[in-house]
Amino acid sequence: MTQTDTVSRILDAAEVLFAERGFTETSLRTITSTAGVNLAAVNYHFGSKKELIQAVFERFLTPFTQSLVGELDRREATDEPLNAEVLLDSLYRVAMASLEREGRDPQRFMRLLGLAYTQYQGHLRRFIVSRYGDSYRRFAGLLSKALPGLDPVTFYWRLYFMLGATIFTLSSFDAIEAILKEDFGAESSLQETLERLVPAAAAMLHAGD
Amino acid sequence: MTQTDTVSRILDAAEVLFAERGFTETSLRTITSTAGVNLAAVNYHFGSKKELIQAVFERFLTPFTQSLVGELDRREATDEPLNAEVLLDSLYRVAMASLEREGRDPQRFMRLLGLAYTQYQGHLRRFIVSRYGDSYRRFAGLLSKALPGLDPVTFYWRLYFMLGATIFTLSSFDAIEAILKEDFGAESSLQETLERLVPAAAAMLHAGD
DNA sequence: CACCAATTAAAACAGTTGTTTGGCAACTTG
DNA sequence: CAAGTTGCCAAACAACTGTTTTAATTGGTG
């Protein structure tokens, strides 16, 4: 077993288990045993549990952020005006593509994103902001330009409303889908849900226009 | 120190600490020491940590739900048509009033609500659904009637979008407020944020009309 | 005042947590 | 081939978890 093998086996297992139960609720022993590696391997390769958590986020946020920045570059290069709906659609589309390309489950990452915001892990928030804050502000800036006449404070609050709707809904996708299936017999795919989310979020941003 | 005193001291401490750090991250020893009571008191009065968690939720969800049901009764008694905006406004107003009346911090409860959805605590979800599910469905039914022409599945997804926007934003209120203050020098009260949230959420529900 | 139930208290329980250690195998490099 | 780095493993570490036990203390009632 080569080094990279052990490292990525740990990351794979941790990613799934963290998304399922949260950080504190997932012990290193559970991670290493489902990964089929020795307990000490985590501290050997990552240093500590905290750093393992950060590594899990880095592995999926870095390619996603790069794709997003690339997409924004392309959009800005063409001189077409950027409206909010297009920007949101880009965001979701890039997220899906960048994650599915690596053969991993998109909604698992939504759960992780939700955890990053909800759980009591100061180091994680700091890590994410310092690493990806610039790209995030870039997107927010473009979206803000697409909504002229909206005062900045209102805009930012609505941005958070949108973020909340997205992360909350997608991270509970399984649970919500199960309820709707039972009550209406209607199956919903992640794709369809995003197609519902884009116009709804856009309407929220445009409220009062 | 009387019994009720010990019980409510434990509930007070647990409520604050749970909202701050989550359930697993808060030990019984931290709770009992900040409450100034003996460690064994939790198991004596509540049975277990799980039941303490449920008791914390029961103490604020029961009066809130009762107020909400009362408000819905009053609204339905008058034969005025109920539109979405009014219903949302009622919901938020009742929530604030019912919580502030007991002199407790409203956004702490939003954090708790967020935890109930996010954290890996099957018993809590089951407890809340079985205890308060009916009232929740009552509200959803009225809101659905206020939005004729919206197919049920789309309506329910948008309801979750709205729930997500609310819980997510209000449970991170402090953090968001701090960012906006730094960037724009603008202070936001919880009240103002709700006044921004109502029309935004209503616009999302009405999207495409 | 004496009794008895309810409450509090200190201590120990058994189990789990993240992390560290030291020995061992496998590899690369001189 | 020898030297030395790198990765892996079982075991132990100390600290912490929720819960239980046993004894002391309280407050109300006959």
Short mmCIF file of all heavy atoms in Angstrom, two decimals, chain C residues 3-5 9 11 13 15-16 18 20 24 26-27, chain D residues 4-5 7 11 13 15-16 18 20 22 26-28:
data_model
loop_
_atom_site.label_atom_id
_atom_site.label_comp_id
_atom_site.label_asym_id
_atom_site.label_seq_id
_atom_site.Cartn_x
_atom_site.Cartn_y
_atom_site.Cartn_z
P DC C 3 -38.13 7.87 65.27
OP1 DC C 3 -38.52 6.63 65.97
OP2 DC C 3 -36.71 8.25 65.17
"O5'" DC C 3 -38.77 7.84 63.82
"C5'" DC C 3 -40.19 7.77 63.68
"C4'" DC C 3 -40.58 8.29 62.30
"O4'" DC C 3 -40.26 9.69 62.20
"C3'" DC C 3 -39.87 7.60 61.14
"O3'" DC C 3 -40.83 6.91 60.36
"C2'" DC C 3 -39.18 8.74 60.38
"C1'" DC C 3 -39.91 9.97 60.87
N1 DC C 3 -39.08 11.21 60.89
C2 DC C 3 -39.50 12.35 60.18
O2 DC C 3 -40.56 12.30 59.53
N3 DC C 3 -38.72 13.47 60.19
C4 DC C 3 -37.58 13.48 60.89
N4 DC C 3 -36.87 14.60 60.90
C5 DC C 3 -37.14 12.34 61.64
C6 DC C 3 -37.91 11.26 61.61
P DC C 4 -40.36 5.71 59.38
OP1 DC C 4 -41.35 4.61 59.47
OP2 DC C 4 -38.93 5.47 59.62
"O5'" DC C 4 -40.53 6.44 57.97
"C5'" DC C 4 -41.68 7.27 57.72
"C4'" DC C 4 -41.44 8.11 56.47
"O4'" DC C 4 -40.74 9.31 56.84
"C3'" DC C 4 -40.58 7.42 55.41
"O3'" DC C 4 -41.16 7.65 54.14
"C2'" DC C 4 -39.23 8.11 55.54
"C1'" DC C 4 -39.67 9.52 55.93
N1 DC C 4 -38.62 10.33 56.61
C2 DC C 4 -38.61 11.73 56.43
O2 DC C 4 -39.49 12.25 55.73
N3 DC C 4 -37.66 12.46 57.04
C4 DC C 4 -36.73 11.86 57.80
N4 DC C 4 -35.81 12.63 58.38
C5 DC C 4 -36.71 10.44 57.98
C6 DC C 4 -37.66 9.72 57.37
P DA C 5 -41.10 6.52 53.02
OP1 DA C 5 -42.32 5.71 53.02
OP2 DA C 5 -39.76 5.91 53.17
"O5'" DA C 5 -41.09 7.40 51.67
"C5'" DA C 5 -42.09 8.40 51.48
"C4'" DA C 5 -41.44 9.70 51.05
"O4'" DA C 5 -40.48 10.11 52.06
"C3'" DA C 5 -40.65 9.64 49.73
"O3'" DA C 5 -41.27 10.47 48.78
"C2'" DA C 5 -39.24 10.13 50.08
"C1'" DA C 5 -39.41 10.78 51.44
N9 DA C 5 -38.24 10.64 52.31
C8 DA C 5 -37.73 9.49 52.83
N7 DA C 5 -36.67 9.66 53.59
C5 DA C 5 -36.47 11.02 53.56
C6 DA C 5 -35.51 11.86 54.15
N6 DA C 5 -34.53 11.39 54.95
N1 DA C 5 -35.59 13.18 53.92
C2 DA C 5 -36.57 13.64 53.13
N3 DA C 5 -37.53 12.96 52.52
C4 DA C 5 -37.43 11.65 52.77
P DA C 9 -25.27 20.16 46.21
OP1 DA C 9 -24.86 21.41 46.87
OP2 DA C 9 -25.43 20.09 44.74
"O5'" DA C 9 -24.25 19.03 46.64
"C5'" DA C 9 -24.08 18.72 48.02
"C4'" DA C 9 -23.23 17.49 48.16
"O4'" DA C 9 -24.04 16.33 47.86
"C3'" DA C 9 -22.06 17.44 47.19
"O3'" DA C 9 -20.85 17.68 47.91
"C2'" DA C 9 -22.11 16.04 46.56
"C1'" DA C 9 -23.22 15.33 47.31
N9 DA C 9 -24.08 14.52 46.47
C8 DA C 9 -24.93 14.95 45.50
N7 DA C 9 -25.60 13.99 44.90
C5 DA C 9 -25.15 12.85 45.53
C6 DA C 9 -25.47 11.49 45.36
N6 DA C 9 -26.36 11.06 44.46
N1 DA C 9 -24.84 10.59 46.14
C2 DA C 9 -23.94 11.04 47.05
N3 DA C 9 -23.57 12.29 47.30
C4 DA C 9 -24.21 13.16 46.49
P DA C 11 -14.69 13.00 47.61
OP1 DA C 11 -13.81 12.92 48.79
OP2 DA C 11 -14.41 13.96 46.54
"O5'" DA C 11 -14.81 11.55 46.96
"C5'" DA C 11 -15.58 10.55 47.63
"C4'" DA C 11 -15.89 9.42 46.68
"O4'" DA C 11 -16.98 9.78 45.81
"C3'" DA C 11 -14.73 9.02 45.76
"O3'" DA C 11 -14.35 7.69 46.06
"C2'" DA C 11 -15.29 9.17 44.35
"C1'" DA C 11 -16.78 9.13 44.57
N9 DA C 11 -17.58 9.83 43.57
C8 DA C 11 -17.42 11.11 43.11
N7 DA C 11 -18.29 11.47 42.20
C5 DA C 11 -19.08 10.35 42.06
C6 DA C 11 -20.19 10.07 41.24
N6 DA C 11 -20.72 10.96 40.39
N1 DA C 11 -20.75 8.85 41.33
C2 DA C 11 -20.23 7.96 42.19
N3 DA C 11 -19.19 8.10 43.01
C4 DA C 11 -18.66 9.32 42.88
P DC C 13 -14.35 1.62 41.42
OP1 DC C 13 -14.42 0.27 42.00
OP2 DC C 13 -13.07 2.24 41.03
"O5'" DC C 13 -15.32 1.66 40.15
"C5'" DC C 13 -16.70 1.34 40.32
"C4'" DC C 13 -17.42 1.49 39.00
"O4'" DC C 13 -17.60 2.89 38.73
"C3'" DC C 13 -16.62 0.94 37.83
"O3'" DC C 13 -17.14 -0.33 37.47
"C2'" DC C 13 -16.82 1.95 36.69
"C1'" DC C 13 -17.59 3.07 37.33
N1 DC C 13 -16.97 4.42 37.07
C2 DC C 13 -17.63 5.31 36.21
O2 DC C 13 -18.70 4.96 35.70
N3 DC C 13 -17.07 6.52 35.97
C4 DC C 13 -15.92 6.84 36.54
N4 DC C 13 -15.41 8.04 36.29
C5 DC C 13 -15.24 5.95 37.42
C6 DC C 13 -15.79 4.76 37.64
P DG C 15 -17.28 -1.87 30.00
OP1 DG C 15 -18.32 -2.85 29.68
OP2 DG C 15 -15.90 -2.30 30.33
"O5'" DG C 15 -17.19 -0.82 28.82
"C5'" DG C 15 -18.27 0.10 28.63
"C4'" DG C 15 -17.77 1.39 28.01
"O4'" DG C 15 -17.03 2.18 28.98
"C3'" DG C 15 -16.82 1.20 26.82
"O3'" DG C 15 -17.47 1.65 25.64
"C2'" DG C 15 -15.59 2.06 27.15
"C1'" DG C 15 -16.08 2.96 28.28
N9 DG C 15 -15.02 3.33 29.20
C8 DG C 15 -14.29 2.50 30.00
N7 DG C 15 -13.39 3.13 30.70
C5 DG C 15 -13.52 4.46 30.35
C6 DG C 15 -12.83 5.61 30.78
O6 DG C 15 -11.90 5.68 31.59
N1 DG C 15 -13.28 6.76 30.15
C2 DG C 15 -14.30 6.80 29.23
N2 DG C 15 -14.61 7.99 28.73
N3 DG C 15 -14.97 5.74 28.81
C4 DG C 15 -14.53 4.61 29.41
P DT C 16 -16.83 1.46 24.20
OP1 DT C 16 -17.93 1.14 23.27
OP2 DT C 16 -15.65 0.58 24.34
"O5'" DT C 16 -16.29 2.92 23.84
"C5'" DT C 16 -17.15 4.04 24.00
"C4'" DT C 16 -16.34 5.31 23.92
"O4'" DT C 16 -15.49 5.41 25.11
"C3'" DT C 16 -15.37 5.36 22.73
"O3'" DT C 16 -15.79 6.35 21.83
"C2'" DT C 16 -14.01 5.72 23.35
"C1'" DT C 16 -14.34 6.12 24.75
N1 DT C 16 -13.27 5.78 25.73
C2 DT C 16 -12.51 6.79 26.28
O2 DT C 16 -12.68 7.96 26.02
N3 DT C 16 -11.55 6.37 27.17
C4 DT C 16 -11.27 5.06 27.54
O4 DT C 16 -10.38 4.80 28.33
C5 DT C 16 -12.10 4.06 26.91
C7 DT C 16 -11.88 2.61 27.23
C6 DT C 16 -13.04 4.46 26.04
P DG C 18 -11.56 10.98 18.52
OP1 DG C 18 -12.25 11.83 17.52
OP2 DG C 18 -11.27 9.57 18.21
"O5'" DG C 18 -10.21 11.70 18.96
"C5'" DG C 18 -10.25 13.04 19.41
"C4'" DG C 18 -8.88 13.47 19.89
"O4'" DG C 18 -8.43 12.55 20.91
"C3'" DG C 18 -7.79 13.46 18.82
"O3'" DG C 18 -6.92 14.57 19.02
"C2'" DG C 18 -7.08 12.12 19.04
"C1'" DG C 18 -7.21 11.93 20.54
N9 DG C 18 -7.28 10.52 20.92
C8 DG C 18 -8.10 9.56 20.40
N7 DG C 18 -7.93 8.38 20.95
C5 DG C 18 -6.94 8.58 21.89
C6 DG C 18 -6.33 7.65 22.78
O6 DG C 18 -6.57 6.45 22.93
N1 DG C 18 -5.35 8.27 23.58
C2 DG C 18 -5.02 9.60 23.50
N2 DG C 18 -4.06 10.01 24.33
N3 DG C 18 -5.58 10.47 22.66
C4 DG C 18 -6.53 9.89 21.89
P DT C 20 0.70 14.08 19.83
OP1 DT C 20 1.37 15.31 20.28
OP2 DT C 20 0.54 13.79 18.39
"O5'" DT C 20 1.45 12.84 20.50
"C5'" DT C 20 1.28 12.61 21.89
"C4'" DT C 20 2.12 11.40 22.33
"O4'" DT C 20 1.38 10.18 22.07
"C3'" DT C 20 3.46 11.24 21.63
"O3'" DT C 20 4.47 11.07 22.60
"C2'" DT C 20 3.29 10.03 20.72
"C1'" DT C 20 2.22 9.23 21.46
N1 DT C 20 1.35 8.39 20.58
C2 DT C 20 1.20 7.05 20.86
O2 DT C 20 1.74 6.49 21.79
N3 DT C 20 0.36 6.38 20.01
C4 DT C 20 -0.32 6.91 18.93
O4 DT C 20 -1.04 6.21 18.23
C5 DT C 20 -0.11 8.31 18.69
C7 DT C 20 -0.79 8.99 17.55
C6 DT C 20 0.71 8.99 19.52
P DC C 24 11.28 -5.72 17.14
OP1 DC C 24 10.94 -7.04 17.71
OP2 DC C 24 12.67 -5.21 17.14
"O5'" DC C 24 10.74 -5.67 15.64
"C5'" DC C 24 9.34 -5.82 15.38
"C4'" DC C 24 9.02 -5.29 13.99
"O4'" DC C 24 9.13 -3.84 13.97
"C3'" DC C 24 9.96 -5.78 12.88
"O3'" DC C 24 9.21 -6.60 11.99
"C2'" DC C 24 10.47 -4.51 12.21
"C1'" DC C 24 9.45 -3.48 12.65
N1 DC C 24 9.95 -2.08 12.66
C2 DC C 24 9.38 -1.14 11.79
O2 DC C 24 8.49 -1.50 11.01
N3 DC C 24 9.83 0.14 11.80
C4 DC C 24 10.80 0.49 12.65
N4 DC C 24 11.21 1.76 12.65
C5 DC C 24 11.40 -0.45 13.56
C6 DC C 24 10.94 -1.71 13.52
P DA C 26 8.42 -6.65 4.26
OP1 DA C 26 7.31 -7.38 3.61
OP2 DA C 26 9.76 -7.27 4.39
"O5'" DA C 26 8.60 -5.24 3.52
"C5'" DA C 26 7.52 -4.31 3.55
"C4'" DA C 26 7.95 -3.02 2.86
"O4'" DA C 26 8.80 -2.26 3.76
"C3'" DA C 26 8.76 -3.25 1.58
"O3'" DA C 26 8.24 -2.46 0.53
"C2'" DA C 26 10.18 -2.82 1.95
"C1'" DA C 26 9.93 -1.79 3.04
N9 DA C 26 11.03 -1.67 3.99
C8 DA C 26 11.71 -2.67 4.62
N7 DA C 26 12.66 -2.27 5.43
C5 DA C 26 12.60 -0.89 5.33
C6 DA C 26 13.35 0.14 5.94
N6 DA C 26 14.33 -0.08 6.81
N1 DA C 26 13.03 1.41 5.62
C2 DA C 26 12.03 1.64 4.75
N3 DA C 26 11.26 0.75 4.11
C4 DA C 26 11.60 -0.51 4.44
P DC C 27 8.72 -2.75 -1.00
OP1 DC C 27 7.51 -2.72 -1.85
OP2 DC C 27 9.64 -3.93 -1.03
"O5'" DC C 27 9.60 -1.46 -1.34
"C5'" DC C 27 8.97 -0.17 -1.38
"C4'" DC C 27 9.94 0.91 -0.94
"O4'" DC C 27 10.64 0.48 0.24
"C3'" DC C 27 11.07 1.21 -1.93
"O3'" DC C 27 10.63 2.18 -2.86
"C2'" DC C 27 12.18 1.75 -1.03
"C1'" DC C 27 11.80 1.29 0.38
N1 DC C 27 12.84 0.50 1.09
C2 DC C 27 13.79 1.15 1.86
O2 DC C 27 13.76 2.40 1.94
N3 DC C 27 14.74 0.43 2.52
C4 DC C 27 14.75 -0.91 2.42
N4 DC C 27 15.69 -1.57 3.10
C5 DC C 27 13.77 -1.59 1.65
C6 DC C 27 12.86 -0.87 1.00
P DG D 4 23.73 5.85 8.37
OP1 DG D 4 24.49 7.09 8.66
OP2 DG D 4 23.49 4.84 9.44
"O5'" DG D 4 22.32 6.27 7.75
"C5'" DG D 4 22.26 6.85 6.43
"C4'" DG D 4 20.80 7.10 6.06
"O4'" DG D 4 20.20 5.88 5.59
"C3'" DG D 4 19.94 7.56 7.25
"O3'" DG D 4 19.03 8.53 6.77
"C2'" DG D 4 19.21 6.30 7.66
"C1'" DG D 4 19.00 5.63 6.31
N9 DG D 4 18.81 4.19 6.39
C8 DG D 4 19.40 3.30 7.27
N7 DG D 4 19.03 2.06 7.09
C5 DG D 4 18.14 2.13 6.01
C6 DG D 4 17.41 1.10 5.37
O6 DG D 4 17.41 -0.10 5.59
N1 DG D 4 16.62 1.63 4.33
C2 DG D 4 16.55 2.95 3.98
N2 DG D 4 15.75 3.25 2.98
N3 DG D 4 17.23 3.92 4.58
C4 DG D 4 18.00 3.42 5.58
P DT D 5 18.50 9.66 7.66
OP1 DT D 5 19.40 10.81 7.54
OP2 DT D 5 18.24 9.05 8.99
"O5'" DT D 5 17.09 10.03 6.99
"C5'" DT D 5 17.01 10.10 5.57
"C4'" DT D 5 15.80 9.34 5.07
"O4'" DT D 5 15.93 7.93 5.36
"C3'" DT D 5 14.45 9.77 5.69
"O3'" DT D 5 13.66 10.33 4.67
"C2'" DT D 5 13.86 8.48 6.25
"C1'" DT D 5 14.61 7.41 5.47
N1 DT D 5 14.69 6.09 6.11
C2 DT D 5 14.02 5.02 5.54
O2 DT D 5 13.35 5.10 4.53
N3 DT D 5 14.16 3.83 6.22
C4 DT D 5 14.89 3.60 7.38
O4 DT D 5 14.95 2.49 7.89
C5 DT D 5 15.56 4.76 7.92
C7 DT D 5 16.37 4.64 9.16
C6 DT D 5 15.44 5.94 7.27
P DG D 7 6.27 8.81 4.03
OP1 DG D 7 5.51 9.25 2.86
OP2 DG D 7 6.41 9.68 5.21
"O5'" DG D 7 5.68 7.41 4.51
"C5'" DG D 7 5.46 6.39 3.55
"C4'" DG D 7 5.09 5.10 4.27
"O4'" DG D 7 6.12 4.81 5.24
"C3'" DG D 7 3.77 5.19 5.06
"O3'" DG D 7 2.89 4.21 4.54
"C2'" DG D 7 4.16 4.91 6.51
"C1'" DG D 7 5.52 4.25 6.39
N9 DG D 7 6.42 4.53 7.50
C8 DG D 7 6.86 5.76 7.93
N7 DG D 7 7.68 5.69 8.94
C5 DG D 7 7.78 4.33 9.22
C6 DG D 7 8.51 3.65 10.22
O6 DG D 7 9.25 4.12 11.08
N1 DG D 7 8.32 2.27 10.14
C2 DG D 7 7.53 1.64 9.20
N2 DG D 7 7.47 0.33 9.27
N3 DG D 7 6.83 2.27 8.26
C4 DG D 7 7.01 3.60 8.33
P DA D 11 -1.28 -6.05 20.52
OP1 DA D 11 -0.85 -7.34 21.09
OP2 DA D 11 -2.69 -5.81 20.17
"O5'" DA D 11 -0.80 -4.87 21.51
"C5'" DA D 11 0.60 -4.64 21.67
"C4'" DA D 11 0.83 -3.36 22.44
"O4'" DA D 11 0.60 -2.20 21.58
"C3'" DA D 11 -0.09 -3.17 23.66
"O3'" DA D 11 0.70 -3.13 24.83
"C2'" DA D 11 -0.81 -1.84 23.39
"C1'" DA D 11 0.09 -1.16 22.37
N9 DA D 11 -0.60 -0.22 21.49
C8 DA D 11 -1.70 -0.45 20.71
N7 DA D 11 -2.10 0.58 20.01
C5 DA D 11 -1.19 1.57 20.35
C6 DA D 11 -1.06 2.91 19.95
N6 DA D 11 -1.87 3.50 19.09
N1 DA D 11 -0.03 3.63 20.47
C2 DA D 11 0.80 3.03 21.35
N3 DA D 11 0.77 1.77 21.81
C4 DA D 11 -0.25 1.10 21.26
P DC D 13 0.95 2.50 30.01
OP1 DC D 13 2.12 2.63 30.89
OP2 DC D 13 -0.25 1.76 30.45
"O5'" DC D 13 0.50 3.96 29.58
"C5'" DC D 13 1.45 4.81 28.91
"C4'" DC D 13 0.81 6.13 28.57
"O4'" DC D 13 -0.04 5.96 27.41
"C3'" DC D 13 -0.11 6.64 29.68
"O3'" DC D 13 0.58 7.63 30.42
"C2'" DC D 13 -1.30 7.26 28.94
"C1'" DC D 13 -1.12 6.85 27.49
N1 DC D 13 -2.31 6.15 26.91
C2 DC D 13 -3.06 6.79 25.94
O2 DC D 13 -2.72 7.92 25.57
N3 DC D 13 -4.13 6.16 25.41
C4 DC D 13 -4.46 4.94 25.83
N4 DC D 13 -5.51 4.35 25.28
C5 DC D 13 -3.70 4.27 26.82
C6 DC D 13 -2.65 4.90 27.34
P DA D 15 -3.47 13.81 32.41
OP1 DA D 15 -2.54 14.94 32.59
OP2 DA D 15 -3.86 12.95 33.56
"O5'" DA D 15 -4.80 14.34 31.72
"C5'" DA D 15 -4.79 14.64 30.33
"C4'" DA D 15 -6.18 14.43 29.75
"O4'" DA D 15 -6.42 13.02 29.55
"C3'" DA D 15 -7.32 14.92 30.66
"O3'" DA D 15 -8.08 15.85 29.94
"C2'" DA D 15 -8.12 13.67 30.97
"C1'" DA D 15 -7.78 12.77 29.79
N9 DA D 15 -7.95 11.34 30.08
C8 DA D 15 -7.38 10.64 31.09
N7 DA D 15 -7.72 9.36 31.11
C5 DA D 15 -8.57 9.24 30.02
C6 DA D 15 -9.27 8.15 29.50
N6 DA D 15 -9.22 6.92 30.01
N1 DA D 15 -10.04 8.37 28.40
C2 DA D 15 -10.09 9.60 27.89
N3 DA D 15 -9.47 10.71 28.29
C4 DA D 15 -8.72 10.45 29.38
P DC D 16 -9.16 16.75 30.69
OP1 DC D 16 -9.05 18.11 30.13
OP2 DC D 16 -9.04 16.52 32.14
"O5'" DC D 16 -10.55 16.13 30.22
"C5'" DC D 16 -10.81 15.96 28.82
"C4'" DC D 16 -11.88 14.91 28.63
"O4'" DC D 16 -11.39 13.64 29.10
"C3'" DC D 16 -13.15 15.16 29.42
"O3'" DC D 16 -14.17 15.61 28.53
"C2'" DC D 16 -13.53 13.81 30.01
"C1'" DC D 16 -12.53 12.86 29.37
N1 DC D 16 -12.16 11.72 30.26
C2 DC D 16 -12.61 10.44 29.93
O2 DC D 16 -13.30 10.29 28.91
N3 DC D 16 -12.29 9.40 30.74
C4 DC D 16 -11.54 9.61 31.83
N4 DC D 16 -11.25 8.56 32.59
C5 DC D 16 -11.07 10.92 32.18
C6 DC D 16 -11.40 11.94 31.37
P DG D 18 -21.03 13.91 28.60
OP1 DG D 18 -21.90 14.69 27.69
OP2 DG D 18 -20.54 14.50 29.85
"O5'" DG D 18 -21.76 12.54 28.95
"C5'" DG D 18 -22.27 11.73 27.89
"C4'" DG D 18 -22.84 10.44 28.46
"O4'" DG D 18 -21.83 9.79 29.25
"C3'" DG D 18 -24.05 10.64 29.38
"O3'" DG D 18 -24.97 9.58 29.17
"C2'" DG D 18 -23.44 10.59 30.78
"C1'" DG D 18 -22.27 9.63 30.60
N9 DG D 18 -21.14 9.94 31.49
C8 DG D 18 -20.54 11.15 31.68
N7 DG D 18 -19.55 11.11 32.54
C5 DG D 18 -19.50 9.80 32.95
C6 DG D 18 -18.64 9.16 33.88
O6 DG D 18 -17.71 9.65 34.55
N1 DG D 18 -18.93 7.80 34.00
C2 DG D 18 -19.93 7.16 33.30
N2 DG D 18 -20.06 5.85 33.56
N3 DG D 18 -20.74 7.74 32.43
C4 DG D 18 -20.47 9.06 32.31
P DT D 20 -27.68 4.82 34.54
OP1 DT D 20 -28.38 3.61 34.06
OP2 DT D 20 -28.42 6.05 34.86
"O5'" DT D 20 -26.84 4.41 35.84
"C5'" DT D 20 -25.75 3.51 35.71
"C4'" DT D 20 -25.11 3.25 37.06
"O4'" DT D 20 -24.26 4.35 37.43
"C3'" DT D 20 -26.10 3.06 38.22
"O3'" DT D 20 -25.82 1.80 38.83
"C2'" DT D 20 -25.84 4.25 39.14
"C1'" DT D 20 -24.42 4.65 38.79
N1 DT D 20 -24.11 6.11 38.93
C2 DT D 20 -23.06 6.52 39.72
O2 DT D 20 -22.37 5.75 40.34
N3 DT D 20 -22.87 7.88 39.74
C4 DT D 20 -23.60 8.84 39.08
O4 DT D 20 -23.33 10.03 39.17
C5 DT D 20 -24.69 8.34 38.27
C7 DT D 20 -25.54 9.29 37.51
C6 DT D 20 -24.89 7.01 38.23
P DT D 22 -24.32 0.34 46.04
OP1 DT D 22 -23.56 -0.92 46.22
OP2 DT D 22 -25.79 0.31 45.90
"O5'" DT D 22 -23.95 1.34 47.23
"C5'" DT D 22 -22.60 1.80 47.37
"C4'" DT D 22 -22.55 3.06 48.21
"O4'" DT D 22 -22.99 4.20 47.42
"C3'" DT D 22 -23.45 3.02 49.46
"O3'" DT D 22 -22.68 3.37 50.59
"C2'" DT D 22 -24.53 4.07 49.15
"C1'" DT D 22 -23.75 5.04 48.26
N1 DT D 22 -24.60 5.91 47.42
C2 DT D 22 -24.28 7.25 47.34
O2 DT D 22 -23.34 7.76 47.90
N3 DT D 22 -25.13 7.98 46.54
C4 DT D 22 -26.23 7.52 45.84
O4 DT D 22 -26.91 8.26 45.16
C5 DT D 22 -26.50 6.11 45.98
C7 DT D 22 -27.68 5.50 45.28
C6 DT D 22 -25.68 5.38 46.76
P DT D 26 -28.13 20.48 55.55
OP1 DT D 26 -27.37 21.70 55.21
OP2 DT D 26 -28.17 19.98 56.94
"O5'" DT D 26 -29.63 20.67 55.06
"C5'" DT D 26 -29.88 20.95 53.68
"C4'" DT D 26 -31.22 20.37 53.27
"O4'" DT D 26 -31.30 19.00 53.65
"C3'" DT D 26 -32.44 21.02 53.92
"O3'" DT D 26 -32.91 22.05 53.11
"C2'" DT D 26 -33.44 19.85 54.05
"C1'" DT D 26 -32.66 18.64 53.55
N1 DT D 26 -32.89 17.38 54.32
C2 DT D 26 -33.87 16.52 53.90
O2 DT D 26 -34.59 16.73 52.94
N3 DT D 26 -33.99 15.37 54.66
C4 DT D 26 -33.23 15.02 55.76
O4 DT D 26 -33.42 13.97 56.37
C5 DT D 26 -32.22 15.96 56.15
C7 DT D 26 -31.34 15.69 57.32
C6 DT D 26 -32.10 17.09 55.41
P DG D 27 -33.82 23.20 53.73
OP1 DG D 27 -33.72 24.39 52.86
OP2 DG D 27 -33.49 23.29 55.17
"O5'" DG D 27 -35.29 22.59 53.60
"C5'" DG D 27 -35.71 22.07 52.34
"C4'" DG D 27 -37.02 21.33 52.52
"O4'" DG D 27 -36.76 20.04 53.15
"C3'" DG D 27 -38.04 22.06 53.41
"O3'" DG D 27 -39.30 22.06 52.77
"C2'" DG D 27 -38.07 21.23 54.70
"C1'" DG D 27 -37.67 19.84 54.22
N9 DG D 27 -36.99 19.04 55.23
C8 DG D 27 -35.99 19.46 56.08
N7 DG D 27 -35.57 18.51 56.87
C5 DG D 27 -36.34 17.41 56.52
C6 DG D 27 -36.32 16.10 57.06
O6 DG D 27 -35.62 15.63 57.95
N1 DG D 27 -37.27 15.28 56.42
C2 DG D 27 -38.11 15.70 55.41
N2 DG D 27 -38.93 14.79 54.92
N3 DG D 27 -38.12 16.92 54.91
C4 DG D 27 -37.21 17.72 55.52
P DG D 28 -40.49 22.97 53.38
OP1 DG D 28 -40.98 23.88 52.31
OP2 DG D 28 -40.06 23.54 54.67
"O5'" DG D 28 -41.61 21.88 53.64
"C5'" DG D 28 -41.97 20.99 52.58
"C4'" DG D 28 -42.59 19.73 53.16
"O4'" DG D 28 -41.64 19.05 54.02
"C3'" DG D 28 -43.85 19.97 54.00
"O3'" DG D 28 -44.83 19.02 53.64
"C2'" DG D 28 -43.37 19.75 55.44
"C1'" DG D 28 -42.29 18.69 55.23
N9 DG D 28 -41.28 18.63 56.29
C8 DG D 28 -40.51 19.67 56.75
N7 DG D 28 -39.68 19.32 57.69
C5 DG D 28 -39.91 17.96 57.86
C6 DG D 28 -39.30 17.03 58.74
O6 DG D 28 -38.41 17.23 59.58
N1 DG D 28 -39.84 15.76 58.58
C2 DG D 28 -40.83 15.43 57.69
N2 DG D 28 -41.21 14.15 57.68
N3 DG D 28 -41.40 16.29 56.85
C4 DG D 28 -40.90 17.53 56.99
#
